[in-house]
Amino acid sequence: MRPEAVEAMLPFLTEHFGNPSGSHAVAREARKALDEARDVVAECLGAEPGEVVFTGGGTEADNLAIVGTHAARRGRAVCTAVEHHAVLHACAAVGGDVVAVRADGVVDVSLLPNQLGPDVSVVSVMLANNEVGTVQPLDAVAAAVRDQSPEAVLHTDAVQAFPWLDVASLARCADLVAVSAHKFGGPKGVGALVVRDGTRLAPILHGGGQERDRRSGTHNVAGIVGMAAAMRATVASRVDTVARVTVLRDRLADGLLAAIPDAAETGDRSSKVAGNCHLSFAGVESEALLVLLDGAGVCASAGSACTSGAIEPSHVLVAMGVAKERALGSLRLSLGVATTESDVDFALEAVPAAVARLRETA
Ligand code: PLP
């Protein structure tokens, strides 16, 4: 977590221990902190404070957006094939449709009119993809939605975008915007959904009517305060972070492509967020590669999943048309605000060595 987030959270983690008898004072402090956090989150997301709904993370925000819109308006839900499962499965739960993407992972806006129509109530297109980092052309998507499905709301999952992109301006065209604190140095289990004024949404949690009846449940005050602090710090340093991490990512990706025969980069680097390095290696199984890298001290991921005993390629790579063998040999190395030159040097030694070892034993 970012130190700013930890520091902001501390008083609220200890409130009951430090102040066992002053419950009214504690409640007032908590209310004030919540209001201040809401102002910060709203500003960082280009929204009004009343448009911010605090949630228990990105998954809940995505579900509220899709299931909540569907419950309020019925109609058809539509999302892209490369969405996170929080969107994909929420869309499936309300019987929604999936739209294809191009080989570079970008939604084909020219095909959208065939998939939309007046019966659509919610369209969900992520701002940046969690596996391959591709950024979607949200303004063009919004224009197609307004044209073909004027009654529909546009939801964007900005969970992966927030550390890297100016979500406040890029997602201005969306009616609903989801973020998750742990993706930008905040605590886990807290997030937010921007619900633009006038957007009709039914709650998916019923209870005490918090968040103006849009999300019942006692507020996670410490988490929300930590999220706001991390958001403010992220926005303040974002331009510098992106510039620095882009250089590191390019060195890492170019270095690995040069050092490893039969390696390929996934997607088009110019349309990816700075922190994403996604490659695939012929003749290598990612699961085995991850084990070797873990042993060497490199944390990475593959995106494939074990379903019914068989390793299945990631749905994102399948949607991009990546061949199965290639998809099963893929590797995602994520860079963040804390990544250093020496981390990159380390990965540039460890990954080629691990790939070579696996190829020798194949
Ligand atoms: N959406 C995207 C794009 C994500 O990457 C994630 C988490 O990795 C989520 C949604 C879910 O967020 P959370 O882990 O806060 O539930």
Side-chain angles (χ1 to χ4, degrees):
M1 260 202 278
R2 279 182 177 268
E4 297 90 342
V6 176
E7 200 178 315
M9 290 171 75
L10 279 176
F12 300 95
L13 290 171
T14 55
E15 61 186 0
H16 293 296
F17 301 106
N19 201 345
S21 57
S23 59
H24 286 303
V26 169
R28 259 199 317 277
E29 279 300 302
R31 179 84 241 168
K32 185 162 165 276
L34 210 52
D35 289 346
E36 285 170 6
R38 195 183 301 283
D39 288 348
V40 171
V41 171
E43 193 187 331
C44 292
L45 291 175
E48 293 300 320
E51 294 176 327
V52 172
V53 177
F54 292 125
T55 67
T59 301
E60 188 192 318
D62 284 333
N63 274 264
L64 176 58
I66 292 161
V67 181
T69 301
H70 185 261
R73 303 156 154 251
R74 298 295 152 196
R76 194 156 55 89
V78 173
C79 72
T80 80
V82 292
E83 299 295 312
H84 187 273
H85 285 129
V87 166
L88 218 44
H89 291 175
C91 199
V94 298
D97 294 331
V98 171
V99 302
V101 295
R102 305 185 313 219
D104 59 1
V106 176
V107 65
D108 192 338
V109 179
S110 69
L111 294 182
L112 271 182
N114 306 335
Q115 315 266 349
L116 300 176
D119 60 325
V120 172
S121 60
V122 55
V123 179
S124 189
V125 176
M126 70 202 319
L127 194 47
N129 183 267
N130 45 301
E131 278 182 47
V132 296
T134 319
V135 179
Q136 299 292 350
L138 212 56
D139 275 332
V141 170
V145 172
R146 306 297 175 224
D147 191 44
Q148 304 290 321
S149 307
E151 298 298 317
V153 296
L154 175 62
H155 167 56
T156 191
D157 175 336
V159 168
Q160 290 287 333
F162 193 82
W164 311 109
L165 304 175
D166 181 3
V167 172
S169 69
L170 290 174
R172 208 179 292 283
C173 57
D175 306 291
L176 301 164
V177 184
V179 290
S180 173
H182 69 107
K183 298 298 177 188
F184 50 85
K188 291 186 173 130
V190 60
L193 181 70
V194 169
V195 181
R196 304 261 185 234
D197 256 357
T199 308
R200 257 185 321 121
L201 193 75
I204 57 171
L205 297 179
H206 303 279
Q210 287 90 343
E211 295 298 281
R212 293 179 28 204
D213 234 355
R214 293 169 298 187
R215 198 278 188 182
S216 283
T218 301
H219 289 106
N220 170 4
V221 180
I224 290 167
V225 165
M227 171 166 70
M231 246 188 186
R232 199 203 291 275
T234 299
V235 170
S237 59
R238 189 153 53 197
V239 171
D240 291 346
T241 305
V242 169
R244 191 180 65 80
V245 173
T246 301
V247 173
L248 291 178
R249 189 273 314 271
D250 289 351
R251 193 158 76 78
L252 177 63
D254 291 337
L256 292 176
L257 289 167
I260 303 174
D262 266 333
E265 188 165 11
T266 317
D268 174 1
R269 203 185 300 175
S270 65
S271 64
K272 280 163 168 260
V273 291
N276 183 279
C277 174
H278 194 288
L279 305 172
S280 66
F281 311 110
V284 167
E285 280 180 9
S286 341
E287 294 305 306
L289 182 58
L290 290 184
V291 173
L292 280 188
L293 290 177
D294 191 44
V298 175
C299 294
S301 61
S304 45
C306 186
T307 315
S308 323
I311 304 287
E312 290 299 330
S314 118
H315 70 279
V316 173
L317 300 181
V318 170
M320 291 167 69
V322 176
K324 187 170 180 184
E325 319 76 71
R326 198 81 205 190
L328 289 175
S330 66
L331 182 74
R332 169 165 58 115
L333 294 160
S334 299
L335 297 88
V337 64
T339 306
T340 63
E341 288 276 351
S342 58
D343 294 333
V344 170
D345 292 339
F346 193 76
L348 284 172
E349 292 285 321
V351 178
V355 171
R357 206 172 131 196
L358 288 174
R359 283 178 173 164
E360 273 161 29
T361 53

